[in-house]
Amino acid sequence: MTVKSPPEKSVRPPILDKLPDPGVQSNECPRRAKTQLDFIMLAIEALELNASQAMLAAINELGLQDVLRNRVHVWRLRSTNPLRKFNQRQPLTLEEAKALVLVVCHLCRKLTGLIRQLFLGYQQLQDQELSLEHHFRLAKYLKRFRAHFRARMNPKRAMVLTYSTDEKLDELALALLTQLLVCTGTRGEERLWASLFDGEVS
Amino acid sequence: MTIQRQYVLPNCSLLLEGLSTDTSNVLSILANAEFKIVGMEQSLAGGLDFFKAIVGAVNAYCQRLLSGIDHPDHMPSQSSLISVEPGEGQYHRLLVQPELLNSEDKERQPKTITLSTVQLFDMAEAIDQFFADGQTLPEFVVPLAPLARRHVRSQEPLAQRAVPPIIGVATLAAAGLGLFFMPIPEGLEESLTQPAALEETTGNPLETSPPGDDILPDDAAPLAAEEPPDVVSSASEPAAASEPLSAEQLATLQQQMQQQISGALAADTAFEQPLSYDISVAANGDILGYNPLDNASFDGLESTPLPNLTYIPVDSDTVNPVAQFNLTFDTDGTVTVAPQESGGLPDIVTPEAVVPEVVTPEEPEGIDEAQSSAPASSEPSSGTTATDLSSGELPSSVATDIRDPDLIYDLNQGLRKTIVGNMNEEWSGPEVRYRVRLDDSGQVVGYEPANDAAEDYVDDLNLASLVEAADSPHPQLDFLVVLSGSETVEVNPWDGWP
């Protein structure tokens, strides 16, 4: 007779302890944090074609399967972004947010070369006063980001409305690229994590 | 022994020089920190203060890049030694106070260095690598923490934030001012006056109407508490509108009614006996209510087109009757519509011949000329139900009525005993109702039958013998006496208990 082993106790991945608790009252992430995390992941998707697969691989590498269980779960967490068309009105817990931060920074580090290359190109364009379309790779990134953004964000939201033009969206894409660069740093996780709660702690 | 630590990145390198306090190789006293930025001739060098300031500013600025919220640590201010500001496009401006720098030329102006994003990031990365290095300044820790709420200035200036509430209040004020000058809609005015009029008719006619007025409360309201009324009106029969119609309008409306009812009546309809009703009519010709004037009319109601023709308004306040007509169906199906006084009250008493509920045996002095002269008095049913009563004359209103609840109670009980004691023991018959008026000493001033059957039993009950003070100057009150069989005698104040 087979004896069933007791159900596996979900062990909290120790890697999450790398990030301190931010000192907010609830166990939920503030609204801006949900938006910011989703936007950063949107930028990663615009940089890398196979980003969702890479994200799942990163989850496995970091041992975060218990927190981010599968592709659908990750999608649901990203959909907590209130600006999304198919917004899931559910909370994003601190633990889930920590896991997402770790995954994002892991992906960013893998993209360090590309991100730096884009910045050098951007710098050259700016110095020569050329428009952004003159850098092939950068233009591709911007175009993909605009397409992703418009496909997924709810155009009825006031904040999404402020990004209605290509120029505004390009500005947002470049700001996100800067954030990705910061995330590649040695303390990228800590910086991103702390920034999610800016203005939310007392 | 001088220890040097160098953190090299593609666009920026950080060189730290210092001493160790013991034999270990840990750099614990910082002597000099130097940032060399690729593409810039001059390096940024300074002591511990410089290093602390630049670490704080760069860290805070990186957090600002991520969250978009300004940190006080990197914002230029009076006290800040080093600040970082966003510049054009992907450039950032680093402002350094001259006293921090180990520089030969003593400038007074702050040194401004423009850094590209990558240069700035490499600077931050060099600092991060220094923090990750446990062998260098291990006690120098700058935690990365979220910005407290109090430091966050609202992204919109106060003037902009104040705009929506100001617009709201201004709009409300403008709307209020505009509507102030608008006339009150006419329908509204009517509906506002309506309840008062209704109350006057149904509430307590004896109290409110002046002496000599002939309004008798055959309306259902005062009786509703005791017995279902024998007078059934349709869903609503509101009081007539306050504005009387002109004679032409009334004539038109009368004609319209005649046609409408005749048209709705089947051609070969015949009635066993003439039926007569009061109908109240709206200005557009809708029949709003009807009131059978005798029992035969009530019983024959279903054979008339009235129930189908009646328009029941959704909100009785919105449609007001403007005219009242007497409607008579003759036995051969002829329809006669005769005007009542327009603007009259809905339950105005038509001449006594057709109102069996309220029989005033002699011509009441207070009856309205308009009604006594109404054509309805010449109806075929005239006189069929009139009964000559030797006693029971009862002026329809009381000069001074009794208001003391205790006295009313006593009178009520006394009257009941009197009636029970006075009636024949074996008496039995249908339900009969009387109106009996008492003065404040309990003497019967007068009585009158209040339904058809009551007239026939006046003698059986010896009511006439009860009348003691036919003309009492004292306060008086009417009571409703209902007898159904010898066992049941109910006595209540006519207008209900106070």
Side-chain angles (χ1 to χ4, degrees), chain B residues 335-347:
Chain B
V335 176
T336 319
V337 177
Q340 268 189 346
E341 184 203 15
S342 70
L345 296 155
D347 294 307

Side-chain angles (χ1 to χ4, degrees), chain A residues 24-186:
Chain A
V24 288
Q25 299 289 332
S26 66
N27 192 31
E28 290 179 26
C29 284
R31 181 188 160 91
R32 191 179 58 78
K34 296 178 192 171
T35 307
Q36 192 181 349
L37 274 177
D38 188 38
F39 278 6
I40 287 180
M41 284 186 266
L42 209 62
I44 292 175
E45 281 179 301
L47 274 184
E48 192 177 25
L49 272 178
N50 209 4
S52 66
Q53 203 59 43
M55 217 173 278
L56 292 179
I59 290 170
N60 285 331
E61 283 171 39
L62 295 170
L64 292 169
Q65 299 95 326
D66 286 341
V67 186
L68 306 174
R69 290 190 294 278
N70 49 42
R71 196 190 294 262
V72 175
H73 189 213
V74 173
W75 173 80
R76 286 171 64 115
L77 294 183
R78 291 184 60 182
S79 299
T80 57
N81 174 7
L83 302 184
R84 281 219 171 214
K85 269 182 189 162
F86 304 106
N87 174 24
Q88 305 271 320
R89 293 182 181 277
Q90 59 180 18
L92 177 67
T93 65
L94 292 183
E95 195 161 287
E96 289 161 339
K98 277 181 188 178
L100 286 179
V101 165
L102 292 174
V103 170
V104 161
C105 291
H106 188 82
L107 292 176
C108 284
R109 288 207 187 95
K110 291 190 169 177
L111 295 169
T112 305
L114 176 59
I115 296 171
R116 281 181 172 267
Q117 190 190 335
L118 289 182
F119 266 105
L120 290 175
Y122 181 23
Q123 193 177 349
Q124 286 168 3
L125 292 180
Q126 198 180 348
D127 291 346
Q128 295 166 25
E129 296 181 356
L130 291 171
S131 70
L132 296 169
E133 283 80 40
H134 286 78
H135 190 284
F136 172 71
R137 193 70 185 78
L138 187 61
K140 200 172 152 193
Y141 162 71
L142 295 176
K143 191 179 162 196
R144 282 168 57 90
F145 180 80
R146 289 196 300 262
H148 281 326
F149 188 92
R150 287 182 178 143
R152 297 181 196 179
M153 297 305 148
N154 184 352
K156 288 174 189 160
R157 295 281 179 173
M159 193 180 160
V160 177
L161 274 180
T162 59
Y163 298 119
S164 54
T165 61
D166 279 5
E167 290 73 30
K168 287 283 180 191
L169 271 182
D170 286 353
E171 273 178 34
L172 176 66
L174 291 171
L176 286 170
L177 199 61
T178 313
Q179 296 182 16
L180 294 188
L181 182 66
V182 176
C183 288
T184 62
T186 310

